[in-house]
Every structure is written in structure tokens, then in C-alpha cells.
Amino acid sequence: MSRIDELIAAMTVDEKIGQLVMVSLGAETIVTGPGAAHEPSVEEVREGRIGSVLNLVGRDRIRALQRIAVEESRLGIPLLFGLDVVHGYFTDAPVPLGETAAFRPDLWEATARLAAEEACDEAIALTFAPMIDLARDPRWGRIVEGPGEDAHVGSVFARAKVRGFQGPDLAHPQALAATAKHFAAYGAVTAGRDYASVDVSERTLHEVYLPAFAAAVDEGCAAIMPAFVDLAGRPMSGDRGYLTDLVRRRWGFEGIYVSDYDAVGELVAHGVAADMAEAAARALDAGMDLDMMSPAYPKALKPALERGLVAMTALDAAVARVLRLKERLGLFEAPHARGAATSPRPRPRPERRALVRAVAAASLTLLANRDRVLPLATTGGPIALIGPFATTAEEMIGPWSGLGDQEITVTLAEGIAAAFPDRRITVTAGVAGEGDDGSGIAAAVAAAEAAEVVLLAIGEPARLSGEAASRARPGLTGRQADLARAVLATGKPVVVLLACGRPLTEAWLYEQAAATLVLWYPGSEGGNAVGDVLSGRANPSGRLPVSWPVDIGQIPVFYGERPTGRPFDPNEHFTTRYVDMPNAPLFPFGHGLSYTEFALSDPTVAAATFRAGETVTVSTELANTGSVAGATTVFLFLTDPVASTSRPLLELKRFETVELAAGAKRRLDFTLATADFACLGADLVARAEPGAFWLSVGFSADRKALKTVAVRLEAEPALV
Ligand code: BGC
């Protein structure tokens, strides 16, 4: 018998249920959800009633609790310790949406590895990341946690993160089990309101929201967290069709499902379970393994089994999966391997700081740069750094920064001062990020008037971004717009440094400012990275992973629209349009400026036709035609002008970020498999349909600026 079979044979029902219970335990834990209905105690660990713990931090405390589980519980089964290590543990990289803007899968992987090393050294074994919910609605605060609007980007991001967190061997003491979350389509909550119902078509689910999860599973992610929400009336946390039939059976997922916080118990509120016992039974039957923080499994699974609502075999199967993950993590052999270091709490090492600084610099996204106001000369007149985020650490590390250390976070004021040692810099808040106190605006105007150039550090307070932070008006908060107007009125060139977790709809500001640099929330080294870009030491190369709306009224606006029978025609009234604003976003997906210029040649293909099973290679030459070195991202889109179902006008198939010296050129080859041409038929089965396809290369999803080549998939000769 295997160890797992032996354990299951030896376990009482209470001990089995215990293996499925995940609670937060410990006095000063991080709080990531509503108050616990279940009050856990260390005694329950001893009794084998708790198998996993979240939000307990500090390796000594974790190791002490692990010792109780291993040495004092009847079967000595180790605990699994989980935490939201989202974009860092101590040393924070940019928030995921910002990091996506770098379009650098190698960096996405490297920062996950860094986070895993720091978290594992603090005795954590499981992270609730990567969050790979695509989002096309910036009203939803959690857009900050994910990779933006595109399914291909989401899939590449998911793979890079799973690889980075887990490494090649889960048993390694610095391997962190990854959780792909939140399965699925959580980013499509109604009207962008967090936790609200989701209703997207099966087609959109399969085309847009599922691919990143399928990629994570294919990459071997250890866990999946089903979303809180229902999908067209089917709450994901209790849905056997999705969790077991689709993901386990069809995709071959072998890891565990960990519920979202209280989501199993919330099946009652969803109206699909009459009481906790029904909720527990439904979730277990669906395939949910760990119940995080709800009373359902700990209090009501036993009565559910006794009432015959769910079979004991389902319990055993879930327990086996959880034990299997603990085994793969090496917890039975070496329960204290993670966190074994005896050194005092590590200070971020220089190479870690260098990595997150480089990633932050690569993620900063330059939306506009009139008259080439940026980069700023390192000598010259005074610089006025104005705005509520000039000196705050929160708006550098963002809303879900783990234990991101604010003390070691470099603020804008610090980073900019370091980048411009020979220029006088004044720092004035002007207003706070929230509230209606405008009394500091006059001082800010005076500071602007005394300066040669203004750096305006404004945006969205980190507190208003993230979970439970939906905003009906995603724009500047408090009196920041008044501050911006007053400073702009001085006539000084104003460079907006926009800290935000989502596109902020302030078109007037981006039109009037001399330049706008989106910082996102850039992480522990944010201030230095901004200094690098402002001074030209780094050339900005961030590209928008989401379309940036002109106005709230356009939401959702995304590049992957389907064609309409009445495409927009300015000369024809009865075409698709708003009468009061443009259809196009203010800045398209992929937009971002550089201090140099790039050009692409017309793409070519080796052969104009191909057959099923063959590959197609699209080639183009990228040239840096400007006068400084820089990096840009080249996107390859596919269009299928005629298919059995109407396909989006553009589908991203590949992207590559390339660094080139001034004047240098490089040939890029993108190879596509037949499957890359496939679409879902009316039956939702993927097929590559014969006919013409257009392959377009460009620097963004602005269709007017793309360069296109056509290829044809030949029909198979008829069998005679
Ligand atoms: C969030 C999850 C998170 C969990 C545990 C929930 O509120 O939705 O993303 O992993 O808390 O902290």
C-alpha cells in the first residue's frame, strides 16, 4: 500500500475532513476576507481537524505549528501553509497588470522565482497566485491582479508564473506550489462590481477566459482556486461540470482545488444549497478539495455524509489529492525544509532589488510625450515634484503586496532625487489622494511656478484598487483633478506620473499634459525605476495590456471585437457608433512610446498556402530608426475574414519584445501551427477551416497601423 492509502485507511472521518480544512490561524495574521465563522485553535491541529493554514506569517511561528502537527497529532500529517504571494514577498515586483506591460515572459518568470525563494525561506509552501482572470472592465478593482484583456497574453503569463513559482521540482525547499485563480471568468462580473454574478456565453468562456487556465494546467500548476462567483447560474465552487468533467477529466488536471475565502459556505447565499450540509456536499461532489475559511467542511461535511448527501468515496478522493500534494511538496520527508534558514529576517539582496528595478523600468508605460519633453536633462532648472504620491510607499507597492516592506520601498521623491543629483527638486503634496481638502493647491502652484518642469505624481490610491475595490468612476480621486488643472494652468510643462491599478478615464489630462507615464504600482524599487526612465538611463518600453478607454461609457472596450454588419462609417448614420464619443479607445492595447523610433517591414511568408499539419512562418524586419537603444514589442495578429462563425477582427497569436541598438535591425520569425488558425465552430469544437487568413504585424492593436500578409489553408483533397 502507498503511504497515502495507508493513511486514509487509518484515518477517522473527522481526520479526513480535517485534511480538507484550511483556516487562518494565529494572532497577527494577515486578513484577506470577512471574519471567520469558524474559530480555529491550535488544539484542532493536534486533533487533526485542520490540515492547511493560510495567512500565518513568520517562519518561527509556522515551524512551531508544523511541529505540533507532525509531532503531536495522531497521524503526524504535516500542514500546508498558504499565502497570497502575488508579486513578491518582501521584495515586490510591479503589480501583475504593470508587470504584464513589460511583455517579457522571462521577467515574469524571474520575479515569480524571486517571490518563491523569499516566501519558501519564510516557510510558505503554497501561493494563491497566479491570478489569471482576464478583465475588460476597469471598473473591477481586481484588474490590477491579472494580465489584462488578452487570452494569448494571459496564457503566456500563466505559464511563466507557474514555472517561476514552482521551479522544476515541487519537492525543492524553494519550490512554491502555484494556484491558478479564480476559475473562471471572474473578471467578467456584472458591471465590474466585485463578487457580482457573471454571465458570459460558453463561446466567450472558451475563447477568452479558459485558455489561461488550460495553459496553467498544462504547465503543471499544483492548485486551482474556483471563483467566488456563479457563471450563468452555476456557482463555480460547486460545479461538477466545470471542475471535474472539464478540468480534471478533459484537461487532465491532477492538482487540488482550493476554495476561495468562504466560497463553499457562500453556496447557501448563492441559492444552490439549503444549508451548510448541502453546500459542503455540493462542493465536495463537484471536486473541491480544500474549504478555505467556511464552516461548511469543518462543521457540516460530517452530517452531510451521514445524511447521504455525498459519498465517502468523494471524501477519500479529495483527501488523497491533498495528501498527494503534500507528498509532492516533500512535506512528509522534510516538513521543516522550507524556512530552515537560521539567519535573521533577510533584507532584500542587491540582486533582487536590481531585478525588480529592471522589471519596473520595463513596465512603465509612456502614453504621450509631446515635444519630447522626456527624458529630462540631468542638469537644468528646478524640478517640482508635486502630488500626493510623491512620498508614499503604498502607491509604489500597491494593494496586494504580501509583506512588501514599506521601509525598504523607494518612493518617487527618493528615486527622482537620486536620478537627478544636479538639479534642485522641490516636493509638495498639494492634496491628499482622497478627501476634499484643497488648501494645499496654492502651495503646489507656487512650486510649479518656481520650477522649469513639473512632475505630477497622482492617480489612484492603492487602497482603492484590488479586491472589493470596484469603482463606478475609475478616475482621479479626491481633489487631484483640481490640483492637476491648477498646475497645468501655470503653463509649465507637466509630466504626469500616474500611479494606478487600472486605466483611469481622464482623457483631458492626457491631452493637456506634456507627457504621461503610467507607473501602475511599480514595486519596491518603483522610485528608482521612475528615476531611470525620467533621466533616460532606461528607455521606456511598457505596452498597454488593456485598452485604455476614452470614457467610462465605452466600457467594456477591448481590441478583440467581432465584426458588425454595419461597421463604422463616418459618412453613414446607420453604422455602429456613439453619437457623443469615438468608438476607439483613447490608447489601444499594445500602445506605449519609446525615446527612439521603430519600423517594421511588410511581413512575408515562405509559402502563400499551407495544408493542415504544416506550420506557417511569418517574417518581418524590425529596425530601430531612432538615435538611442530601446526595446519594443512586436505583435502578430490573425484575422479570419470568412469562417463558419464570425471571428474577432484581430486575435493575438504571438508577441516578442526585442531590444535593439540605435540603427540596428533584426529579422523576426513567428511560427504558427495549424492549431493557431483554428476557431470554435457552432458546436464549440476547435477546427482550422480552409480558406484565407490575414497575418498582421504591428506595435499595437490599432488596425490602421498594421502590416498584413495573406495565407491560405488548402482544403484536404476529397477522399475517392
Ligand atoms: C481572494 C483570493 C485570495 C483569498 C485568500 C480572497 O478574498 O479572493 O484571491 O487568495 O482571499 O487570501
Side-chain angles (χ1 to χ4, degrees):
M1 259 215 282
S2 71
R3 171 187 6 227
I4 292 174
D5 290 340
E6 272 174 22
L7 277 172
I8 291 178
M11 286 166 113
T12 64
V13 170
D14 288 325
E15 284 167 334
K16 289 179 184 175
I17 293 173
Q19 283 305 308
L20 308 187
V21 171
M22 174 178 254
V23 291
S24 77
L25 194 63
E28 303 142 54
T29 55
I30 294 174
V31 178
T32 57
H38 175 78
E39 277 300 331
S41 71
V42 173
E43 199 42 42
E44 288 175 79
V45 172
R46 238 175 236 120
E47 290 166 2
R49 288 172 182 271
I50 292 172
S52 299
V53 171
L54 83 151
N55 288 349
L56 180 65
V57 292
R59 65 183 171 213
D60 294 341
R61 293 155 78 199
I62 290 180
R63 285 157 66 83
L65 195 59
Q66 186 70 295
R67 209 161 286 120
I68 291 173
V70 174
E71 292 170 17
E72 299 177 28
S73 73
R74 190 175 76 90
L75 296 170
I77 300 173
L79 294 165
L80 176 62
F81 291 94
L83 185 72
D84 294 276
V85 182
V86 177
H87 56 108
Y89 188 87
F90 293 132
T91 315
D92 281 320
V95 289
L97 187 64
E99 201 186 29
T100 306
F103 281 97
R104 288 277 304 268
D106 57 333
L107 297 182
W108 299 341
E109 182 173 339
T111 57
R113 184 87 297 271
L114 188 166
E117 288 169 8
E118 289 189 348
C120 290
D121 286 352
E122 286 294 301
I124 300 296
L126 170 72
T127 177
F128 308 121
M131 191 278 215
I132 47 176
D133 294 314
L134 296 195
R136 297 173 160 189
D137 189 335
R139 291 174 298 184
W140 190 51
R142 302 197 80 170
I143 193 172
V144 66
E145 293 176 55
E149 75 179 44
D150 180 72
H152 175 67
V153 175
S155 302
V156 177
F157 185 86
R159 285 183 187 278
K161 287 296 176 194
V162 171
R163 275 199 307 273
F165 284 132
Q166 297 192 166
D169 174 14
L170 268 190
H172 190 281
Q174 286 183 320
L176 187 62
T179 306
K181 72 184 189 184
H182 309 80
F183 182 82
Y186 180 26
V189 285
T190 302
R193 189 160 32 81
D194 210 359
Y195 315 126
S197 184
V198 171
D199 200 343
V200 296
S201 69
E202 274 288 305
R203 170 173 302 281
T204 298
L205 178 70
H206 282 267
E207 288 180 354
V208 177
Y209 295 102
L210 291 184
F213 286 94
V217 168
D218 189 54
E219 203 62 51
C221 76
I224 294 177
M225 182 184 288
F228 287 120
V229 290
D230 76 291
L231 176 57
R234 297 166 61 176
M236 294 309 275
S237 302
D239 197 276
R240 190 177 168 83
Y242 288 122
L243 304 193
T244 294
D245 299 343
L246 176 68
V247 178
R248 281 203 193 285
R249 302 234 165 99
R250 271 178 55 197
W251 295 359
F253 174 57
E254 289 179 348
I256 63 162
Y257 281 109
V258 49
S259 86
D260 205 342
Y261 200 107
D262 196 33
V264 175
E266 288 172 15
L267 291 172
V268 174
H270 274 286
V272 295
D275 55 22
M276 281 299 152
E278 283 191 22
R282 185 174 172 130
L284 186 67
D285 182 61
M288 184 73 85
D289 301 309
L290 293 186
D291 176 347
M292 177 197 286
M293 290 302 283
S294 108
Y297 282 14
K299 296 255 167 73
L301 188 50
K302 200 171 181 189
L305 289 157
E306 286 160 3
R307 275 161 60 187
L309 298 177
V310 65
M312 190 62 83
T313 49
L315 177 63
D316 287 351
V319 173
R321 288 189 291 260
V322 172
L323 295 178
R324 175 82 190 109
L325 177 59
K326 291 182 175 182
E327 189 170 61
R328 289 174 64 207
L329 283 163
L331 294 174
F332 285 101
E333 269 70 36
H336 305 296
R338 288 177 184 76
T342 48
S343 57
R345 177 180 163 153
R347 306 309 292 171
R349 295 203 226 122
E351 73 275 14
R352 293 183 172 167
R353 302 193 71 125
L355 174 67
V356 298
R357 180 172 179 165
V359 178
S363 71
L364 302 181
T365 309
L366 186 61
L367 296 182
N369 189 18
R370 291 188 182 84
D371 305 324
R372 294 184 175 265
V373 61
L374 294 181
L376 301 177
T378 46
T379 54
I383 297 172
L385 174 60
I386 295 174
F389 304 144
T391 53
T392 56
E394 292 91 320
E395 280 66 34
M396 293 297 101
I397 56 178
W400 206 314
S401 42
L403 276 79
D405 196 333
Q406 297 201 10
E407 274 170 37
I408 59 112
T409 298
V410 181
T411 64
L412 292 175
E414 290 162 350
I416 292 167
F420 295 95
D422 299 326
R423 292 188 72 161
R424 197 161 79 79
I425 299 171
T426 60
V427 180
T428 321
V431 300
E434 292 175 76
D436 55 11
D437 181 2
S439 59
I441 293 178
V445 167
E449 270 162 356
E452 190 179 284
V453 60
V454 176
L455 301 176
L456 190 58
I458 54 177
E460 175 178 56
R463 206 183 67 78
L464 301 183
S465 167
E467 185 176 350
S470 293
R471 297 182 61 203
R473 293 202 180 94
L476 294 173
T477 49
R479 299 288 301 275
Q480 294 185 86
D482 294 332
L483 172 71
R485 283 197 178 89
V487 168
L488 283 162
T490 63
K492 298 286 174 161
V494 174
V495 175
V496 174
L497 304 177
L498 196 71
C500 54
R502 58 184 125 202
L504 300 183
T505 51
E506 301 286 2
W508 64 274
L509 176 67
Y510 316 130
E511 271 149 29
Q512 291 176 37
T516 298
L517 184 68
V518 180
L519 312 187
W520 313 104
Y521 299 117
S524 306
E525 284 284 326
N528 281 333
V530 171
D532 290 341
V533 163
L534 293 178
S535 65
R537 203 157 43 204
N539 189 346
S541 59
R543 302 291 181 258
L544 290 177
V546 282
S547 306
W548 193 289
V550 173
D551 190 270
I552 309 160
Q554 287 183 320
I555 295 172
V557 58
F558 52 93
Y559 85 82
E561 263 198 288
R562 289 183 200 283
T564 149
R566 296 188 173 189
F568 174 62
D569 175 351
N571 302 315
E572 173 55 62
H573 181 72
F574 294 102
T575 60
T576 185
R577 72 162 92 208
Y578 297 108
V579 292
D580 55 357
M581 79 177 67
N583 292 349
L586 189 61
F587 303 107
F589 171 90
H591 173 77
L593 303 179
S594 166
Y595 297 153
T596 188
E597 272 98 51
F598 292 95
L600 276 177
S601 69
D602 284 330
T604 56
V605 284
T609 62
F610 69 108
R611 291 192 178 280
E614 293 177 350
T615 58
V616 172
T617 300
V618 192
S619 305
T620 180
E621 190 175 69
L622 174 70
N624 179 345
T625 56
S627 53
V628 288
T632 192
T633 302
V634 179
F635 297 95
L636 174 72
F637 295 101
L638 177 133
T639 304
D640 186 352
V642 183
S644 61
T645 54
S646 169
R647 294 180 67 170
L649 291 163
L650 293 177
E651 297 174 29
L652 183 66
K653 293 296 169 186
R654 297 285 185 276
F655 63 84
E656 192 169 341
T657 301
V658 184
E659 269 184 65
L660 280 185
K665 291 181 177 170
R666 177 157 345 143
R667 179 187 153 119
L668 305 179
D669 296 315
F670 297 103
T671 299
L672 299 178
T674 310
D676 289 310
F677 293 81
C679 65
L680 302 180
D683 54 4
L684 296 184
V685 175
R687 286 181 208 90
E689 300 178 359
F693 295 89
W694 301 333
L695 296 167
S696 306
V697 293
F699 298 117
S700 79
D702 175 4
R703 293 204 303 281
K704 295 185 298 299
L706 296 175
K707 294 188 163 174
T708 300
V709 62
V711 286
R712 172 171 287 278
L713 173 59
E714 296 288 357
E716 289 303 308
L719 294 174
V720 267

